[in-house]
Amino acid sequence: PTLTLRFWLLTGLACFALAIYTAMREREEFARAIDALRDPDPVAVAAVLLSVAAGAALSGLLFHILMRRFGRVPFWEMQALISASAFVNYLPLKPGFVGRVAYHRLQHGIRASHTLRTIVEAIALSGTVAGMFLVSLVALRALGAPGEWSLLAPALLAPAMRFPAVRSVSQALLVRQAELALWTLRYWAVFQLVGAPIDLETAIVLASVSVIATLLPIVSNGLGIREWVVGILAPMISHEPVSTSQAIVAELVHRAAEIVVMTPIGVTAILVLVRHTRRRALAA
């Protein structure tokens, strides 16, 4: 298993490096994207940074909803735990998942199987929402309707919240819908920042496919995969001219924004959790 994990880590790093090399080979387009970043649109910058922070908060809300079936975790503590986990997951092999399982077991007495179940459910919800975005977008375009309405497709399942057996999952689905809508906003904004504006329908497709790529367990946060997915898809589906180089740079800006936002949030969350754990241990 260790050799397999190392193989996928090295593969992800190689794909990431190759994507950067490919972007730099298109010298004119690469230079155009870098020049655009020197004078960024403040609105687009704010949209990217704030959507990353809001997305982290929504992720915490989602797991708070899913986990309350198995144990009592204060809302603030779940927010801190998810933020810390998301930050640590930027390291290879997503160690944040292991930390969450151990934390819930030690601090809340929640069985590992229950924590793993919520993680699997969250992954399934992400895939479901992304799939609904894509399928509904295709259907709407075939009917001649605006594809942007596909962002509301998961809300069609909202009536399921009336049934207690699936209420939590239904609520979590709507939270995940809002989170993926923020991904769409981010993709629209990062392409604005590199001087290659895209339409909202293209942003929906890129966000949905990138979310699916991020869910792959073989590399952390879809490292290398997201760059190639965006770099290949954007020039193919965008209604406006976009080069592979601009698309890859846009994804690199996206990753940089995630790190810039999640680093202070994640470090603060870790410090808060460590302090809380020590206080709890002293009080026991």
Side-chain angles (χ1 to χ4, degrees), residues 62 66 120-130 169-170 172-173 176 180:
L62 179 141
L66 293 176
V120 171
E121 287 173 342
I123 292 172
L125 288 170
S126 293
T128 299
V129 172
V169 174
S170 299
L173 179 75
R176 194 59 107 188
L180 265 66

Side-chain angles (χ1 to χ4, degrees), residues 8 20 26 39 42 53 76 108-109 112 117 129 131 134 169 178 191 193 207 210 238-239 251 282:
W8 286 118
I20 296 176
E26 297 181 1
D39 186 23
W76 72 265
H108 306 118
R117 175 178 169 179
V129 172
L134 294 173
V169 174
F191 274 86
L193 290 175
S210 292
S238 177
H239 297 165
E251 180 57 41
L282 292 174

Side-chain angles (χ1 to χ4, degrees), residues 64 66-74 78 108-110 114:
H64 180 73
L66 293 176
M67 189 64 76
R68 65 190 179 191
R69 298 168 296 171
F70 308 116
R72 185 181 179 278
V73 182
M78 182 63 79
H108 306 118
I110 299 174
H114 288 160

Side-chain angles (χ1 to χ4, degrees), residues 75-125:
F75 180 76
W76 72 265
E77 191 173 356
M78 182 63 79
Q79 288 286 347
L81 181 59
I82 295 304
S83 294
S85 176
F87 170 65
V88 175
N89 277 341
Y90 284 108
L91 298 174
L93 311 180
K94 295 190 174 183
F97 286 153
V98 177
R100 279 162 58 189
V101 172
Y103 187 91
H104 282 310
R105 179 59 180 158
L106 294 173
Q107 300 300 321
H108 306 118
I110 299 174
R111 295 190 307 187
S113 60
H114 288 160
T115 302
L116 290 172
R117 175 178 169 179
T118 62
I119 293 174
V120 171
E121 287 173 342
I123 292 172
L125 288 170

